[in-house]
Amino acid sequence: MTAAILAAAGLSLVSAVAYAVAAVAQERLAARTGRERAAAETGGGLPALLRRGAWWWAVGLNVVGAMLHVAALAFGPLTVVQPLGALTLVAAVPLGAYRAGRKVSRGEWTGTACTLVGLAAILLAAAGSGPSEALSLPQALGVSATAAALAAVLVFSLPGARPGLRHATASGVASGVASALTQTVTVTFTAHGGGRMPLWGVAVLAVLVAVFACGGLLLAQASYRGGLGAPLSLLTLANPVAASAIGLILLGERLQGGPLGIAAAGVGAVLAARGVVLLTRAADPGHRPSSANVPEARPGPAKPVNLPALPAQPVKRRAERA
C-alpha cells in the first residue's frame, strides 16, 4: 500500500467522522421539526430549515467532510475512497446512541465489526493505484443526466416504497456522482489530466458538483424524518456503489490481486452488506420494543361495589325484646 493510498484512507476516515456528526445533527433536527412535516411537504420545509442555526451547523460539518473527501480523491481512486465512506454509519451509530442516552446494542456492535472487516477486505483489493483517469466532458454529462433521472424516479415514483428509503437511495446516488465529478475536476488540474478539458467544461462540472452535493444533502435531510439507522444505511451503500461503478466502468480502475483479490473483494462486500443490514435492524426503532408503544395505564372512574345486605330479622327481634 503506497503512501498516497494511506493518505487517502486517513483523510477518508476523518471525513467519515465529520459526515457522521452531521448525520446525527440532521436526524435530531428532523425529529424536532416533525410537527412541521405537512408544511415541509407543501414547500415550506426548506425556508424553515434555513431559519434554524442547527441546520447551518450540520451544513458546515458536511462542508468539512466534503473538503476532506475532495482531498482524499486527490490521492486515491474512487474504489478506495468511496468504500471508506461507509464508516460514516459505523461512527454515527455510537454517536446517535450517546445523544439518545442509551447504550449501543449487541446487534449494532456486530454490524459494526462486519462492516469494518468487509471494508478492510475491499480496501486491500482496491488499493493498487492512484487516480490517473478522469471522465471526459460527454461522459460526465451522460452520468449526470442518468443520475438525475434515477433520482427523479426514486423520489417521485415507486408509490408503494417507503419515502425515507427512496430519498436515502437517491441521496446516495447523488453523492456518489458528485464524488466522481469532483475527482474529474481534481485530476484535470493535476499533471495526470491537465489540458484534457477546456476551462468552460471544468466550470460546468463544478456547477454540477454543487448541484448534486446540495441535492444529496437535502434528500438526506428528508430521509431522516423516519429515523437515522435505515436511511443512513441505504445512503451509505448507494454512495460507494454508484461511485465505484463509475470508476470501474468508465475510469479504468481495476481490483488488484487477480482472482484472489476479486474473491477477497466479493467476500468483503458480502460482510459489509451484512453489517449494514444488522446496523439497519438495530438502529431502526421498528425492530426494538419501545416504551412509547406501550399504552399508559390511566385511572378510571371507580366502579360501585355491591356489598351483601345484612340480615334485618335478628335486629328486629332484639328491638322487640327491648
Side-chain angles (χ1 to χ4, degrees):
M1 187 177 296
T2 64
I5 297 297
L6 289 176
L11 291 170
S12 298
L13 291 176
V14 182
S15 175
V17 173
Y19 279 131
V21 177
V24 173
Q26 286 180 266
E27 190 272 337
R28 291 180 62 85
L29 179 61
R32 288 198 300 267
T33 57
R35 296 179 180 178
E36 303 174 0
R37 180 176 303 179
E41 291 176 353
T42 59
L46 183 58
L49 286 175
L50 295 178
R51 292 192 297 267
R52 293 180 177 271
W55 163 253
W56 291 108
W57 171 254
V59 169
L61 289 172
N62 277 289
V63 170
V64 172
M67 293 176 64
L68 293 170
H69 184 74
V70 170
L73 288 173
F75 293 98
L78 284 172
T79 47
V80 171
V81 175
Q82 290 304 121
L84 287 174
L87 294 178
T88 298
L89 180 63
V90 177
V93 167
L95 283 175
Y98 173 77
R99 294 298 300 272
R102 63 175 180 84
K103 295 182 179 180
V104 181
S105 66
R106 180 178 180 181
E108 289 171 324
W109 284 126
T110 304
T112 299
C114 290
T115 305
L116 287 175
V117 173
L119 286 173
I122 296 174
L123 179 60
L124 291 176
S129 60
S132 59
E133 297 293 336
L135 293 172
S136 64
L137 185 58
Q139 288 177 330
L141 295 177
V143 167
S144 300
T146 303
L150 179 58
V153 170
L154 289 170
V155 173
F156 300 107
S157 300
L158 305 175
R162 294 174 58 182
L165 300 184
R166 291 191 280 112
H167 284 78
T169 305
S171 175
V173 172
S175 300
V177 172
S179 297
L181 297 178
T182 299
Q183 187 189 41
T184 297
V185 174
T186 303
V187 173
T188 300
F189 285 103
T190 62
H192 297 294
R196 295 186 56 184
M197 186 180 298
L199 186 59
W200 66 267
V202 176
V204 170
L205 293 188
V207 172
L208 289 175
V209 169
V211 170
F212 278 104
C214 293
L217 179 63
L218 294 176
L219 288 169
Q221 180 66 55
S223 70
Y224 294 146
R225 294 174 185 172
L228 180 64
L232 186 57
S233 300
L234 270 182
L235 192 157
T236 303
L237 275 179
N239 189 327
V241 166
S244 297
I246 294 172
L248 292 172
I249 296 173
L250 298 177
L251 299 182
E253 297 178 1
R254 294 290 182 267
L255 297 176
Q256 305 300 311
L260 183 60
I262 295 175
V267 174
V270 172
L271 282 175
R274 176 61 177 169
V276 170
V277 169
L278 290 174
L279 288 170
T280 300
R281 293 176 178 175
D284 192 347
H287 291 280
R288 68 163 67 97
S290 176
S291 58
N293 297 328
V294 180
E296 182 181 358
R298 297 182 180 180
K303 295 182 179 181
V305 179
N306 297 324
L307 297 177
L310 295 176
Q313 187 65 24
V315 176
K316 184 177 180 180
R317 290 179 179 178
R318 290 178 182 177
E320 291 178 352
R321 293 176 182 178

